[in-house]
Amino acid sequence: MVAFRVVCVFLSALMLLNAQQRNGALTARTQKMIVKINEDGPYLGLLIPNLYEMDPLLESSNYTATNTIDVAGRRFRFGTIGEKKVILVMTGLSMINAGITTQLLLSLFNVEGVVHYGIAGNANPSLNIGDVTIPEYWAHGALWSWQRYGLGPDDELPLESAGDYTRNIGYLKFANYTVNVTEGSPYDNLLNNIWYQPEEVFPVDGTPEERQHAFWVAVDPHYYEISKQLEDLVLEGCINSTTCLTTTPKVTRVQRGTSASIYLDNAAYRSFIYNKFNVSPVDLESASVALICLQQRKPFIAIRALSDLAGGGSADSNEADTFTSLAATNSVTVVLKFIELLAAVNSKSSTGYAYY
């Protein structure tokens, strides 16, 4: 009978543990690990989209692993880079994965700031494959109000008067990209116009359910100032002895980057967003990380190495498959140096949040 009771208790505990795991709840063991590891913080959080961008860092002699905690399908890797305590986590592809992972990181762990890095497409014709860009501002470029056919710039958008949507940021007119039109002939496009919209944000130090709006989100000014010292860094220009870039890659600080859950390989749209917004890197995650850090009031910077010219147009264009590994390696080189410089400063960010 005693043995039977012991078995019943064990099976009940096992069923409860499995239920917790299925429902995404933290087990008692995981909670205990989190409490203990947070006592050793704070940590610098490193958010990385994919394994091929993470692997060069894991293989670097500058990184020393200490522990891992698995939560909600994510593996949080703890270690040090030089003297800096860090948490590495892979987000996965897209805005939603990046947002979920960033929120988990900041909600669960003792994090002082966030560095996001990886590869990106390029919208800036003055930059080249292999260059590493550090934008001052990021925006989510795929939150739109799609305007009904027959209406135009002078027509109010639905719910605009309620403050839900705006015409302040600008729009894309599809008819401007019509081709094979006889000169002098009228033309239009049933897709009409899309109007770019800011995100709704709810900062942790604001009033719950009282929204604010943000389109361009600034990286942390302290981190951005430190990044000035990265511009003379020597980067890799060759994959092997026979495959090299035609230009010497460099680190460059730029005004803006943009993100959306869209793989951009279209020259017309690339040119539009560059001319409209002066963006350089285009990716699928950075703006999501920026928006979560804005709402959670955590210092943030994103570092993106260019793997291709989105949509083609140069001798090295459309070579993402060829130069992805080189771009990933260059992004890690820059991140390692940035963390070294950040540790040397030995002071926390001024948390100067800015958005518009």
Side-chain angles (χ1 to χ4, degrees):
M1 179 64 71
V2 173
F4 176 75
R5 288 177 178 173
V6 170
V7 170
C8 287
V9 170
F10 174 77
L11 290 175
S12 297
L14 184 61
M15 290 172 64
L16 177 61
L17 177 62
N18 288 336
Q20 287 178 322
Q21 291 174 335
R22 286 196 304 271
N23 296 330
L26 295 176
T27 65
R29 179 175 178 273
T30 299
Q31 291 181 49
K32 186 175 180 180
M33 290 175 66
I34 290 172
V35 169
K36 185 176 186 304
I37 210 155
N38 280 340
E39 291 173 352
D40 293 331
Y43 299 88
L44 183 68
L46 273 64
L47 290 153
I48 307 131
N50 296 291
L51 283 176
Y52 63 79
E53 294 156 314
M54 179 186 284
D55 285 344
L57 180 53
L58 295 178
E59 296 164 4
S60 170
S61 60
N62 297 85
Y63 173 69
T64 302
T66 58
N67 208 339
T68 61
I69 297 179
D70 294 345
V71 178
R74 268 68 178 178
R75 173 157 292 172
F76 295 88
R77 302 169 184 264
F78 297 81
T80 57
I81 294 176
E83 300 299 317
K84 199 73 174 173
K85 296 178 181 179
V86 295
I87 308 174
L88 279 59
V89 58
M90 191 191 81
T91 65
L93 193 73
S94 84
M95 294 283 288
I96 191 167
N97 274 322
I100 290 169
T101 309
T102 306
Q103 188 64 65
L104 283 170
L105 172 73
L106 299 182
S107 295
L108 294 174
F109 300 108
N110 181 6
V111 174
E112 66 178 51
V114 170
V115 176
H116 176 58
Y117 79 87
I119 68 169
N122 175 31
N124 186 336
S126 70
L127 300 178
N128 299 290
I129 291 173
D131 289 350
V132 178
T133 59
I134 307 174
E136 187 175 8
Y137 295 94
W138 285 92
H140 176 204
L143 182 57
W144 302 334
S145 175
W146 206 316
Q147 196 169 34
R148 184 179 301 187
Y149 180 72
L151 302 181
D154 295 329
D155 296 301
E156 188 174 283
L157 300 174
L159 304 178
E160 183 177 349
S161 60
D164 292 337
Y165 299 99
T166 180
R167 285 172 288 160
N168 292 336
I169 297 170
Y171 70 102
L172 168 65
K173 183 178 180 65
F174 283 95
N176 290 343
Y177 295 88
T178 304
V179 296
N180 299 324
V181 176
T182 304
E183 186 176 352
S185 300
Y187 63 92
D188 207 345
N189 192 306
L190 293 174
L191 292 175
N192 202 26
N193 306 318
I194 55 170
W195 291 83
Y196 291 86
Q197 301 299 317
E199 289 277 1
E200 289 187 349
V201 295
F202 299 87
V204 292
D205 54 358
T207 302
E209 300 179 354
E210 187 174 298
R211 67 183 177 182
Q212 299 176 24
H213 288 96
F215 188 70
W216 294 111
V217 179
V219 303
D220 182 75
H222 175 60
Y223 287 2
Y224 197 63
E225 183 67 22
I226 290 174
S227 72
K228 280 184 180 178
Q229 301 175 61
L230 300 169
E231 293 181 332
D232 294 328
L233 204 59
V234 176
L235 302 175
E236 184 61 61
C238 294
I239 297 172
N240 51 46
S241 60
T242 60
T243 307
C244 293
L245 297 169
T246 57
T247 60
T248 302
K250 61 185 180 297
V251 181
T252 181
R253 303 197 312 162
V254 297
Q255 185 185 21
R256 292 170 173 169
T258 187
S259 308
S261 290
I262 300 167
Y263 185 90
L264 177 57
D265 193 28
N266 182 277
Y269 190 69
R270 175 197 80 212
S271 297
F272 170 78
I273 59 174
Y274 174 72
N275 292 322
K276 178 72 177 175
F277 298 120
N278 194 34
V279 300
S280 295
V282 291
D283 67 32
L284 289 86
E285 297 89 16
S286 296
S288 184
V289 179
L291 284 158
I292 299 298
C293 288
L294 169 66
Q295 297 187 81
Q296 298 299 310
R297 300 307 198 204
K298 289 294 182 180
F300 153 83
I301 196 167
I303 296 169
R304 287 284 186 161
L306 305 179
S307 61
D308 63 288
L309 180 64
S314 75
D316 291 328
S317 64
N318 287 327
E319 298 293 345
D321 290 339
T322 301
F323 291 107
T324 286
S325 61
L326 183 146
T329 297
N330 281 349
S331 69
V332 169
T333 298
V334 176
V335 166
L336 289 172
K337 186 62 178 180
F338 174 80
I339 294 172
E340 177 188 324
L341 293 169
L342 182 63
V345 170
N346 197 28
S347 64
K348 294 184 179 180
S349 172
S350 59
T351 61
Y353 310 102
Y355 54 95
Y356 60 95

